[in-house]
Amino acid sequence: MAVQSYKELLIWQKGMQIAKEIYSLVKKLPKEEIYALSDQMRRAAVSIPSNIAEGQSRNSTKEFIHFLSITNGSKAELETQLILCKEIGYLTEEEIQPVMNLLQEESKMLYTMKAKLTTHH
């Protein structure tokens, strides 16, 4: 059965879960970071499911693969920002680990989806 909507994709659903987790997590950052690091983290998190949705909505496998690459970049950006938050003492390992686990799962899903799309392209 073909996917009718990006909302059916587990990779999109996982991206939405990541975004919601990040929105909760950035509330723990210092207020002076509200327009800096926390804003950047929210944008990177929102970019993950957004690019999956946009790519799947295009009627081109090549474009979908391109948007999955952009998604992968946003995922790496967000991982880097979470590591930075831990290293400068804004968040603990325990606070970031659940999201890092979700990002790792998303990474595997992105790799698998790109591989499937590439072989069927």
Side-chain angles (χ1 to χ4, degrees):
M1 181 177 110
V3 173
Q4 300 299 314
S5 166
Y6 60 85
K7 295 175 199 151
E8 296 174 40
L9 296 172
L10 293 177
I11 194 169
W12 178 83
Q13 294 168 12
K14 180 79 62 185
M16 289 293 285
Q17 188 181 357
I18 291 166
K20 289 186 279 188
E21 291 288 329
I22 289 298
Y23 266 78
S24 294
L25 206 51
V26 297
K27 291 176 182 171
K28 298 179 179 187
L29 298 181
K31 293 293 175 235
E32 67 264 19
E33 288 295 346
I34 198 154
Y35 297 112
L37 191 56
S38 61
D39 189 46
Q40 189 134 7
M41 290 171 72
R42 283 191 302 264
R43 281 198 312 267
V46 168
S47 178
I48 293 171
S50 297
N51 279 303
I52 292 165
E54 185 171 356
Q56 195 276 335
S57 297
R58 304 280 177 122
N59 291 321
S60 158
T61 301
K62 185 178 177 184
E63 282 187 279
F64 193 11
I65 292 168
H66 174 71
F67 277 93
L68 291 175
S69 293
I70 295 169
T71 302
N72 203 43
S74 297
K75 181 201 64 67
E77 182 182 350
L78 187 54
E79 285 171 336
T80 299
Q81 293 156 353
L82 286 165
I83 293 166
L84 180 63
C85 283
K86 184 186 85 173
E87 290 187 0
I88 59 180
Y90 286 168
L91 298 170
T92 65
E93 178 70 33
E94 293 73 28
E95 288 171 319
I96 71 165
Q97 198 54 56
V99 182
M100 293 297 270
N101 292 342
L102 289 171
L103 287 164
Q104 188 64 36
E105 292 169 26
E106 186 79 338
S107 185
K108 290 175 185 170
M109 293 169 85
L110 282 165
Y111 178 83
T112 301
M113 179 157 285
K114 278 180 74 173
K116 283 181 182 177
L117 290 169
T118 302
T119 57
H120 291 99
H121 182 61

